[in-house]
Amino acid sequence: MKQDKSAGNIKPVRIEKRPAFTLAGVSAVTTNEAEQLGNGKIGALFERFFTENIGKQLGVNIREAGYYGCYFHYQQEDKGPYEIMLSVKVAADSVVPNLEGIQTFTVPEANYAVFVTEKGPIVEKVPQAWAAIWEWQKLPENCRTFTGDFEYYAGDIDPADGQTEIYIAVE
């Protein structure tokens, strides 16, 4: 199913109910404004996640291939600070190694509007999709809950020509 990703026309490919699941990884607090002005922390967080091979350090606890970019602890919905964690999915009862800066977050059970980015350089396509989602959320029938949104990156994703899913928690 091909999506029109222009800001006014983006639509989810499906609505999906997901059970709660636990992530472990590294996080930072940022704002959309800081990210758009080039003062953000997301790029450095991705660099740290891959440079320090965080996923491999969590090894035996990982429950699936791939990794997540999870957004939570929203203040003022998308207009204020929020936390982003680059992470892997772990068992809820995992004993996560005592590694510096590693934390866990349980994404709550929710209904999600699932969007698929266009294929291309991930560093470009994910922010483009988010910009369109911010326009999509302005429509009165699209009610985000801001309880925990996430991007899922498959284990075999090509950063130069990849595609990812973005899950937005909705009422």
Side-chain angles (χ1 to χ4, degrees):
M1 175 183 216
K2 183 160 173 67
Q3 293 186 82
D4 177 351
K5 301 274 187 319
S6 61
N9 296 321
I10 193 169
K11 293 188 179 5
V13 295
R14 66 185 180 276
I15 302 295
E16 179 179 320
K17 185 170 186 148
R18 302 266 314 228
F21 62 97
T22 302
L23 299 173
V26 291
S27 72
V29 175
T30 190
T31 64
N32 287 338
E33 181 179 25
E35 296 300 323
Q36 292 168 347
L37 294 174
N39 302 322
K41 299 178 181 173
I42 294 175
L45 194 63
F46 268 88
E47 186 174 321
R48 177 177 177 209
F49 183 81
F50 290 106
T51 301
E52 296 180 21
N53 206 350
I54 300 297
K56 186 173 182 180
Q57 290 186 52
L58 294 167
V60 297
N61 295 301
I62 297 175
R63 292 296 169 247
E64 69 182 347
Y67 62 96
Y68 290 81
C70 184
Y71 303 82
F72 56 103
H73 293 152
Y74 287 97
Q75 299 173 33
Q76 304 166 354
E77 298 180 342
D78 64 339
K79 294 172 185 42
Y82 56 86
E83 193 164 353
I84 175 171
M85 179 169 35
L86 271 284
S87 54
V88 292
K89 186 175 183 180
V90 297
D93 59 353
S94 289
V95 176
V96 176
N98 188 13
L99 302 169
E100 184 176 337
I102 301 293
Q103 66 177 39
T104 61
F105 175 72
T106 298
V107 180
E109 177 179 302
N111 290 318
Y112 292 93
V114 183
F115 298 87
V116 178
T117 66
E118 291 179 340
K119 193 169 183 178
I122 292 295
V123 70
E124 293 173 14
K125 297 305 178 181
V126 171
Q128 287 172 0
W130 273 105
I133 290 166
W134 295 331
E135 291 300 314
W136 169 85
Q137 77 184 27
K138 292 178 182 177
L139 298 173
E141 65 270 21
N142 301 327
C143 297
R144 290 181 64 186
T145 62
F146 296 94
T147 54
D149 305 310
F150 61 92
E151 303 152 359
Y152 174 68
Y153 299 89
D156 61 352
I157 194 167
D158 176 356
D161 191 30
Q163 199 168 25
T164 191
E165 292 185 329
I166 301 174
Y167 290 73
I168 303 298
V170 294
E171 289 182 0

